[in-house]
Amino acid sequence: MPLTLPQLEHHLFSAADILRGKMDASEFKEYIFGMLFLKRCSDQFEVHHAEIIRAQKAKNRPEEEALQRAESASFYTGTFFVPPMARWPALRDHLHTNVGDGLNKALGALETANSALSGVVQHIDFTRTVGKSRLPDKKLLELIKHFNKYRLRNEDFEFPDLLGAAYEYLIGQFADSAGKKGGEFYTPRAVVKMMVRLADPKEGMRVYDPCSGSGGMLILAREHVAEHGGDPRNLRLFGQEDNGGVWSISKMNMILHSIPDAIIENGDTLGFPLHKEGGELMRFDRILTNPPFSQNYKREDMEFTERFHYGWCPESGKKADLMFVQHMIAVMRPNGMICTVMPHGVLFRGGDEKTIRAGIIQDDLLDAVIGLAPNLFYGTGIPACILVLRAKGSKPAERKGKVLFINADAEFRSGRAQNYLDPEHIEKIVNAYQRYEEIPGFAALVDNTTLAENGYNLNIRRYADNAPPPEPHDVRAHLQGGIPKAEVQDKQPLFQAHGLDPMRLFVERDKHYLDFAPTLQSRNDLKPRIEQDPGLLAREAELFQAFEVWWNTYRAQIVGLPTTQRLMLTRAELMESFEKALVPIGLLDRFQVAGTIARWWGDVLYDLRAVMAQGFMGGIHSWVASILSLLENRQKANSPFEHKLARRLLADLNEEITQKEAEIAELDSQIKAAKPNDDDENNDENSDNDEEDALSEEEIKKRKSKLSAAKKQLKQLYNSFEEALKHARDALDNDEAQVLVLEILSSDLRDELTRKVHAHRQTVTAAFENWWDKYRVTLREIERARDTAKTRIDGFLKELGYVVG
């Protein structure tokens, strides 16, 4: 059975668990990457080694000569030659002492034998001391044993790019664990996807990241070309990264993504740019980057100083940001484009930075300034922005002499420790940039003359203020009651979108005011009345009917994937057709609709890759493997019984397990509640009341016996789950597997759409609840209640003798 992405992701993260605790994630990540790279290179080498022997024997060469040729590095083109001491069997079977030193020598030998790996792996030091200790042999042997669990040949993967996808996952997990240090090598992928869509690279172009980190910008640029029907092999990728360890990670990332021709250099981009041709700096069509914020730099010995003809930022004071921007401008091709993350300070700080901004605007290079939400990036909670620049004279006619300001600082989803860009946020931002026109409260188009008059201050809120209007308060309604008709009218677009006539919840009060219908006696009556509204239900039914029609029309695109192999073109067709089918209904706007299918696609992408590579039965096998992996390492957060396939194939068994788990929880709760607390014998006040409900010793004993029996029964259900799952899988034929996969994919998308509809319905409900809270109880009623309460309190005080007279 092929190795699945969830299996490999869990396998790699479990490897990190072996080292976690001895050192921080930022320190041990290189060990995991190095071990993974060794294992992958060795496993794939074995394939080529066997092929060479087979080919030599086919030429009637003796086995000894064939083996000798297979041991020659010259026979390995397009793959890495692995010297004997770096091969996995040698590490697994013969490395028992001085393990760290042995691993170091293996990495060194691998690098020495392959010029393409120069500097990539040899710096990883398994004997490095962290604090006062280093990893003991026992831990390293445990790590070797762990990596021995799975073979990592191409033929072992459920789809070709499995290893690259798992490596990206691992980089993201390390960035998350490393906290602030994670920002040094990883930009959240949602931000990268948005930047790539803004830049829109096409095949035949050169794409460059001057601060390339782990290489995510370049990899997603390549995926973007594939998604839009281009040939990603005809896209040249270039990068430069100052941090040697991070550069090594990016080189491995490219190799594991099967992009061996990406040219990633190691060095200080500002001081010594390394991409040159003919003695000049190389030029690029698209430049995508997230440079380090607020750095110092040194002007001394800097090469190619002509890059900075707009001015020099102070060397100290951590203001190198616009130096990076000038470098990018200097290496743009005539029709080139830059998309870079920047801190907000570059937009408005004075002095030399103002002079640089003025020069950039006067040359009409700045195309857009996009403000992002706070806390999107690792390492900083401050909000950042994206600058989009075009080469001098290359702006389209309608954009010349103008800058688009987009204030997207409210476009995010809150997380526990970080905020996130969701697909609908990306759609809204990218669409605003592509339209390049005014959108009240979101985007403003400002000419360069106005910017000059404002001292080249690019503060986003100055031009695109998205502050919500103040909450309206009608004094008369507060005093006398009633809902102002003007406020209801302002919410009419929201109600119309959901098919709700607000007059089904109101009655006329007078010319300017409404009252809630007499049948609505409390705030709690609002939600059920809205959810049962016939107009609202009809609009929702219309949306889901359109969805069913769309799915029945376009599911053939998914059915054909194993034959057509057109995954990214299928994505484009589904995205476009989904919007056309659902946006006209009017319930959800185009950003919500596009966000719905974009999020679904992201969730099921690797499922679809498995189907494309292995067929629909292969998709089922992939899910079963993932469930079994969850079963082996059961956690509450990811229950194997809640997997979408398990819920369908084993619904009855799942229900038994759920009921048994609930029974155990209830018995456990009763037993714990029956045990006396330490304070109970001193708590005479409660003891009498509790005696009636207290369990006798005999009853507690019976419940403990029941609990023990229930746990045994649950264990038996757990044990039967694996066998039942495999049996249900094996009972499926190819047609049944296809139907089941399509049903699950359809259900997932429908669930995502349902969440959007529920969120919109909640917004409708919140409007009515807000009016109830504001106006249902008038000031006069509050005053009467206050006076009544005061009279009662005065009476009590008088009876107690505290008030005389």
Side-chain angles (χ1 to χ4, degrees):
M1 186 182 297
L3 185 62
T4 70
L5 182 60
Q7 279 180 303
L8 186 52
E9 287 177 346
H10 178 77
H11 175 64
L12 295 177
F13 201 62
S14 296
D17 288 338
I18 294 172
L19 301 182
R20 198 170 278 115
K22 293 292 292 183
M23 55 187 74
D24 293 337
S26 60
E27 295 167 330
F28 69 66
K29 66 180 184 296
E30 289 184 352
Y31 298 161
I32 304 298
F33 292 143
M35 195 74 80
L36 170 65
F37 199 70
L38 264 177
K39 182 67 164 63
R40 162 63 174 175
C41 288
S42 180
D43 285 355
Q44 197 60 22
F45 168 81
E46 289 177 356
V47 176
H48 293 284
H49 189 271
E51 287 175 353
I52 292 169
I53 292 175
R54 202 160 38 245
Q56 294 303 311
K57 284 183 175 181
K59 296 178 180 179
N60 297 318
R61 290 193 172 96
E63 184 165 345
E64 184 178 347
E65 185 180 347
L67 183 60
Q68 186 178 8
R69 287 172 180 259
E71 290 295 325
S72 172
S74 61
F75 278 82
Y76 294 82
T77 56
T79 188
F80 297 118
F81 175 75
V82 181
M85 69 183 307
R87 294 173 194 170
W88 194 255
L91 300 174
R92 179 193 62 209
D93 300 335
H94 305 297
L95 192 58
H96 304 302
T97 59
N98 296 321
V99 180
D101 184 57
L103 289 170
N104 288 349
K105 289 176 179 177
L107 289 171
L110 179 64
E111 184 172 310
T112 301
N114 300 275
S115 59
L117 293 179
S118 178
V120 174
V121 294
Q122 197 167 1
H123 74 283
I124 300 173
D125 183 5
F126 283 93
T127 64
R128 181 165 58 97
T129 299
V130 178
K132 293 184 179 181
S133 64
R134 66 181 187 179
L135 286 175
D137 283 353
K138 182 180 178 181
K139 280 286 182 184
L140 293 174
L141 288 171
E142 189 178 348
L143 199 60
I144 291 172
K145 181 181 178 182
H146 179 82
F147 271 96
N148 193 59
K149 182 176 181 180
Y150 293 120
R151 200 176 64 178
L152 301 178
R153 298 178 181 179
N154 290 343
E155 65 201 62
D156 300 319
F157 303 149
E158 66 172 341
F159 56 82
D161 194 32
L162 179 80
L163 196 58
Y167 190 81
E168 273 284 303
Y169 161 83
L170 194 59
I171 292 173
Q173 291 297 316
F174 278 132
D176 197 35
S177 301
K180 185 174 182 179
K181 291 182 180 179
E184 296 175 5
F185 60 89
Y186 188 81
T187 302
R189 289 307 178 248
V191 176
V192 178
K193 287 178 182 177
M194 180 185 67
M195 293 173 66
V196 169
R197 288 190 59 190
L198 292 170
D200 191 24
K202 303 184 186 307
E203 70 170 289
M205 287 186 173
R206 291 177 176 177
V207 179
Y208 172 56
D209 184 346
C211 307
S212 52
S214 61
M217 296 268 186
L218 301 176
I219 290 170
L220 264 68
R222 196 171 189 269
E223 289 183 4
H224 177 85
V225 170
E227 286 175 7
H228 290 78
D231 184 353
R233 295 169 298 181
N234 190 19
L235 185 75
R236 298 193 63 193
L237 304 179
F238 301 84
Q240 184 164 335
E241 171 56 41
D242 191 26
N243 183 300
V246 174
W247 170 80
S248 169
I249 291 172
S250 70
K251 289 284 286 185
M252 287 188 274
N253 201 8
M254 295 297 164
I255 291 167
L256 295 176
H257 273 90
S258 301
I259 317 175
D261 57 347
I263 302 175
I264 314 295
E265 302 287 1
N266 180 205
D268 174 14
T269 299
L270 283 186
F272 309 99
L274 296 174
H275 292 287
K276 307 170 190 175
E277 54 185 355
E280 299 288 332
L281 287 174
M282 188 179 286
R283 303 298 196 267
F284 306 96
D285 301 286
R286 294 291 184 270
I287 302 173
L288 293 153
T289 195
N290 177 14
F293 284 6
S294 307
Q295 298 285 300
N296 292 324
Y297 73 99
K298 290 185 179 180
R299 186 170 178 175
E300 184 181 0
D301 298 326
M302 185 179 278
E303 296 179 354
F304 298 101
T305 55
E306 67 274 13
R307 290 175 289 167
F308 310 110
H309 72 274
Y310 290 114
W312 294 81
C313 297
E315 293 180 67
S316 59
K318 298 185 176 181
K319 295 180 179 179
D321 307 293
L322 288 179
M323 299 298 286
F324 280 107
V325 172
Q326 289 190 85
H327 165 75
M328 293 179 238
I329 291 171
V331 297
M332 264 198 299
R333 277 182 162 175
N335 287 303
M337 187 174 175
I338 295 166
C339 195
T340 179
V341 180
M342 281 281 132
H344 273 252
V346 304
L347 302 178
F348 51 77
R349 286 195 294 250
D352 296 320
E353 290 176 286
K354 177 182 175 182
T355 302
I356 295 170
R357 282 199 309 274
I360 291 171
I361 292 169
Q362 288 163 8
D363 280 349
D364 200 20
L365 307 183
L366 187 60
D367 195 36
V369 180
I370 303 171
L372 300 178
N375 206 27
L376 287 177
F377 296 87
Y378 294 103
T380 177
I382 64 172
C385 66
I386 291 174
L387 301 184
V388 183
L389 302 99
R390 293 178 184 264
K392 190 172 182 178
S394 70
K395 279 188 179 182
E398 67 275 10
R399 296 183 178 221
K400 290 186 182 297
K402 301 170 187 173
V403 177
L404 180 70
F405 289 83
I406 299 176
N407 192 341
D409 63 6
E411 304 301 318
F412 67 94
R413 171 174 53 85
S414 297
R416 183 176 56 84
Q418 194 174 353
N419 293 329
Y420 301 93
L421 271 182
D422 280 343
E424 55 263 41
H425 305 135
I426 295 174
E427 287 296 326
K428 187 174 181 180
I429 293 167
V430 172
N431 179 263
Y433 173 73
Q434 291 171 343
R435 287 170 59 186
Y436 212 77
E437 60 189 29
E438 299 269 349
I439 302 175
F442 188 67
L445 208 52
V446 183
D447 60 66
N448 291 347
T449 302
T450 301
L451 296 177
E453 291 171 353
N454 291 337
Y456 299 103
N457 186 321
L458 305 180
N459 189 308
I460 298 168
R461 281 193 177 273
R462 184 168 190 160
Y463 306 105
D465 188 357
N466 64 351
E471 175 68 31
H473 285 276
D474 187 293
V475 176
R476 179 185 164 184
H478 278 302
L479 292 173
Q480 299 178 9
I483 314 300
K485 289 183 177 180
E487 290 189 26
V488 177
Q489 184 60 37
D490 288 342
K491 294 287 185 182
Q492 199 61 30
L494 172 67
F495 302 145
Q496 284 179 347
H498 220 118
L500 177 73
D501 180 358
M503 290 311 296
R504 286 197 279 266
L505 285 87
F506 291 130
V507 294
E508 287 280 347
R509 181 185 181 102
D510 56 38
K511 183 178 180 182
H512 298 291
Y513 294 88
L514 303 168
D515 278 325
F516 281 105
T519 52
L520 297 170
Q521 291 298 305
S522 75
R523 189 179 189 272
N524 291 336
D525 294 336
L526 293 172
K527 188 170 185 283
R529 175 66 65 84
I530 291 169
E531 291 180 344
Q532 296 163 15
D533 181 79
L536 180 141
L537 292 174
R539 181 60 52 84
E540 290 183 4
E542 184 183 4
L543 180 74
F544 285 106
Q545 177 61 31
F547 166 75
E548 295 298 337
V549 171
W550 172 84
W551 177 260
N552 290 331
T553 303
Y554 285 93
R555 67 180 180 178
Q557 304 283 357
I558 296 173
V559 171
L561 278 176
T563 304
T564 65
Q565 298 289 301
R566 297 168 64 251
L567 183 64
M568 293 309 178
L569 289 179
T570 296
R571 176 190 184 276
E573 291 168 0
L574 293 181
M575 291 280 291
E576 182 180 358
S577 60
F578 192 74
E579 287 187 43
K580 286 182 179 178
L582 269 63
V583 170
I585 305 301
L587 199 162
L588 303 175
D589 64 35
R590 69 172 302 272
F591 308 117
Q592 293 168 318
V593 171
T596 297
I597 191 165
R599 177 186 283 274
W600 169 80
W601 180 269
D603 289 342
V604 304
L605 173 60
Y606 295 114
D607 297 330
L608 294 175
R609 284 187 174 176
V611 166
M612 188 171 71
Q614 307 287 335
F616 285 92
M617 200 67 222
I620 296 291
H621 281 295
S622 173
W623 283 336
V624 169
S626 299
I627 294 169
L628 295 179
S629 179
L630 290 172
L631 195 63
E632 183 182 347
N633 305 278
R634 195 155 54 245
Q635 298 174 350
K636 288 184 179 179
N638 294 296
S639 169
F641 315 114
E642 292 301 313
H643 191 280
K644 50 194 175 185
L645 181 66
R647 291 201 307 265
R648 287 179 178 265
L649 282 183
L650 302 175
D652 293 341
L653 181 56
N654 260 334
E655 181 62 26
E656 278 190 74
I657 289 172
T658 300
Q659 290 178 359
K660 192 59 64 177
E661 287 175 335
E663 179 186 345
I664 289 171
E666 176 62 24
L667 287 168
D668 191 52
S669 175
Q670 291 175 2
I671 292 167
K672 287 178 179 177
K675 290 181 179 178
N677 295 323
D678 293 339
D679 296 335
D680 281 356
E681 58 188 46
N682 299 321
N683 195 347
D684 296 333
E685 186 177 335
N686 293 326
S687 60
D688 292 340
N689 296 330
D690 292 341
E691 279 182 5
E692 294 180 10
D693 300 325
L695 295 175
S696 67
E697 287 294 328
E698 185 63 28
E699 288 171 323
I700 293 175
K701 188 176 179 180
K702 285 181 181 178
R703 279 169 171 74
K704 285 183 176 180
S705 178
K706 282 185 179 180
L707 178 62
S708 179
K711 285 182 176 180
K712 287 180 181 178
Q713 291 164 359
L714 182 61
K715 187 176 181 180
Q716 290 172 353
L717 290 172
Y718 285 164
N719 291 337
S720 67
F721 182 86
E722 179 176 347
E723 190 62 34
L725 180 65
K726 291 178 179 178
H727 179 75
R729 175 200 63 195
D730 295 340
L732 295 172
D733 61 27
N734 287 329
D735 290 340
E736 290 169 333
Q738 177 180 304
V739 169
L740 183 56
V741 170
L742 290 173
E743 284 179 355
I744 290 173
L745 293 175
S746 172
S747 177
D748 286 349
L749 182 51
R750 185 185 178 92
D751 288 347
E752 188 62 41
L753 186 63
T754 299
R755 281 189 284 272
K756 290 288 192 300
V757 171
H758 285 178
H760 194 276
R761 189 196 304 153
Q762 180 54 40
T763 304
V764 171
T765 302
F768 288 91
E769 290 174 340
N770 185 43
W771 286 323
W772 185 283
D773 294 339
K774 281 200 299 185
Y775 300 129
R776 185 67 171 80
V777 180
T778 68
L779 177 62
R780 299 294 175 239
E781 289 172 320
I782 294 172
E783 288 175 339
R784 283 194 291 272
R786 178 203 61 191
D787 293 342
T788 301
K790 182 177 183 301
T791 301
R792 290 185 65 197
I793 291 172
D794 287 345
F796 293 147
L797 293 174
K798 187 173 182 180
E799 290 177 11
L800 294 170
Y802 290 108
V803 178
V804 180

